[in-house]
Amino acid sequence: MQNKTAKWMAGAVALLVLPLVLQYFGNAWVRIADLALLYVMLALGLNIVVGYAGLLDLGYVAFYAVGAYMFALLASPQLSENFAWFAAHFPDGLHLSLWMVIPLALLLAAGTGVLLGIPVLKLRGDYLAIVTLGFGEIIRIFMNNLDHPINITNGPKGIGEIDSVKIFGLNLGRRQEIFGFDISSVTLYYYLFLALVLITVLVCYRLQDSRIGRGWMAIREDEIAAKAMGINTRNMKLLAFGMGASFGGVSGAMFAAFQGFVSPESFSLMESVMIVAMVVLGGLGHIPGVILGAVLLSSLPEVLRYVAGPLQDLTGGRLDASILRQLLIALAMIIIMLLRPRGLWPSPEHGKSLAQKA
């Protein structure tokens, strides 16, 4: 028991000290850690839909976009500049606090998730994947073209001048000096994202061991048998879509505040594919595995920048560095799937463990 507590304490200290160490090597490394935490939140949300309920969702990035654009519209001059009524009532803009942004993003994304779930309740497998993929593309195209006849999203130009997050009067968008330590903006955001990830992990663990979580897993294993056992598969699927989408919405809102700018290019199909890959490669339905997959796949492209450059020089500049990075990522994913077909850190097989004990 003491060893377990010591490990948890060492892990907590490492997470708290990590951005301060990375800061000495440049803010770019802290920024990579920040984005990795956002992807962890996204992957945990998708794990509810794919890992627990067994519903293959390839349009998850849509909820990420909904949260990001919600915050961008409410925390930028976009609405004031394009709507006279809004400018008359809020001349200085609508600057919401963090305690209002998170519940709003959560509720709006959850509602969008339920709306997606209603028409696809009877679809399974590849058909469900195709429909959800289309939904994600519809949201991206919708955001891209909603600049006329009324300019709401500013179309492909995106929305800028987005407010940074403020907590108890502390502006996370500015460098702060705390207890004599000079802490950069990206480091302050790291601690906010870490707190949100820890809350997400706690919620996921509670859901996993709850009656709802077991109902989702029953649907994943055999939907007909689950329905025969009295599980309301319709409501459980809608709940899975709503719960999973809510984490995506919160992550999107934090992404908009962190970047200070959002555009449709940030929510492409490749983003959805990468989030699904994080869940599958990490280990479907296993929270530590999903976290590991999200951290590796979100940071690997950035780390490979330092590998792709020398390789490009070896080829005499005939291969582009970005193409080499994608090639190396693809090779890494193929090797992982060949060596670890159930993921890097799969969930334990309870049946096998019981058989061995017997």
Side-chain angles (χ1 to χ4, degrees):
M1 186 66 182
Q2 291 180 350
N3 291 335
K4 190 175 181 180
T5 304
K7 289 179 180 178
W8 280 107
M9 291 296 294
V13 172
L15 287 174
L16 291 174
V17 174
L18 177 63
L20 301 177
V21 175
L22 293 176
Q23 190 174 303
Y24 284 103
F25 298 97
N27 287 336
W29 288 101
V30 187
R31 186 179 182 83
I32 293 172
D34 292 348
L35 292 174
L37 289 174
L38 288 179
Y39 277 110
V40 167
M41 206 184 311
L42 284 169
L44 288 172
L46 184 60
N47 185 54
I48 292 176
V49 184
V50 179
Y52 291 170
L55 304 170
L56 185 54
D57 186 356
L58 289 181
Y60 189 74
V61 76
F63 312 120
Y64 190 40
V66 166
Y69 269 93
M70 182 220 71
F71 184 78
L73 289 173
L74 296 180
S76 73
Q78 176 67 17
L79 294 178
S80 301
E81 291 175 354
N82 294 280
F83 295 93
W85 176 89
F86 193 89
H89 288 80
F90 304 100
D92 298 326
L94 193 61
H95 305 283
L96 296 180
S97 68
L98 180 70
W99 315 114
M100 292 184 66
V101 167
I102 291 179
L104 278 175
L106 190 148
L107 291 174
L108 182 61
T112 308
V114 172
L115 287 176
L116 166 64
I118 290 172
V120 301
L121 283 173
K122 296 187 180 296
L123 298 178
R124 300 178 189 175
D126 299 340
Y127 301 102
L128 177 62
I130 291 169
V131 172
T132 52
L133 184 151
F135 177 79
E137 283 297 285
I138 287 169
I139 292 294
R140 183 185 65 81
I141 295 170
F142 188 69
M143 299 299 184
N144 198 45
N145 291 279
L146 208 60
D147 56 344
H148 62 278
I150 302 174
N151 187 6
I152 299 177
T153 64
N154 209 27
K157 297 178 183 177
I159 301 175
E161 300 181 44
I162 302 172
D163 294 343
S164 55
V165 173
K166 299 179 180 65
I167 306 177
F168 303 118
L170 181 67
N171 188 348
L172 301 189
R174 297 178 181 175
R175 183 180 294 271
Q176 304 288 337
E177 187 174 339
I178 302 175
F179 301 116
F181 292 98
D182 189 28
I183 302 179
S184 63
S185 170
V186 288
T187 303
L188 294 172
Y189 271 110
Y190 171 90
Y191 290 115
L192 172 62
F193 296 164
L194 179 63
L196 291 174
V197 166
L198 292 176
I199 293 171
T200 305
V201 170
L202 177 62
V203 171
C204 288
Y205 267 116
R206 297 293 292 176
L207 282 172
Q208 178 178 286
D209 298 327
S210 68
R211 182 180 297 180
I212 294 173
R214 295 182 186 278
W216 285 334
M217 293 174 194
I219 293 171
R220 179 191 66 195
E221 298 301 327
D222 193 327
E223 185 177 344
I224 296 174
K227 188 179 292 186
M229 292 299 293
I231 296 174
N232 190 329
T233 56
R234 175 183 175 276
N235 290 349
M236 293 296 286
K237 284 183 178 181
L238 290 178
L239 185 60
F241 275 114
M243 286 292 297
S246 64
F247 294 127
V250 174
S251 182
M254 295 300 99
F255 172 77
F258 179 61
Q259 291 284 99
F261 173 80
V262 294
S263 71
E265 293 179 0
S266 301
F267 313 106
S268 63
L269 172 62
M270 186 53 65
E271 287 293 313
S272 274
V273 173
M274 286 296 290
I275 299 169
V276 173
M278 291 171 185
V279 177
V280 175
L281 291 178
L284 270 173
H286 194 219
I287 294 173
V290 171
I291 294 172
L292 177 63
V295 171
L296 287 179
L297 278 185
S298 59
S299 57
L300 188 62
E302 303 301 326
V303 174
L304 286 178
R305 288 181 188 273
Y306 299 95
V307 179
L311 287 178
Q312 185 184 21
D313 295 335
L314 289 176
T315 60
R318 286 186 292 272
L319 285 177
D320 185 57
S322 60
I323 296 175
L324 280 171
R325 283 172 58 214
Q326 294 297 325
L327 176 63
L328 292 171
I329 292 170
L331 285 174
M333 292 173 68
I334 291 170
I335 292 170
I336 289 171
M337 292 308 295
L338 288 174
L339 299 178
R340 306 281 294 180
R342 294 184 59 241
L344 288 170
W345 195 346
S347 58
E349 294 181 347
H350 301 291
K352 286 187 178 180
S353 62
L354 289 174
Q356 290 172 358
K357 287 181 180 179

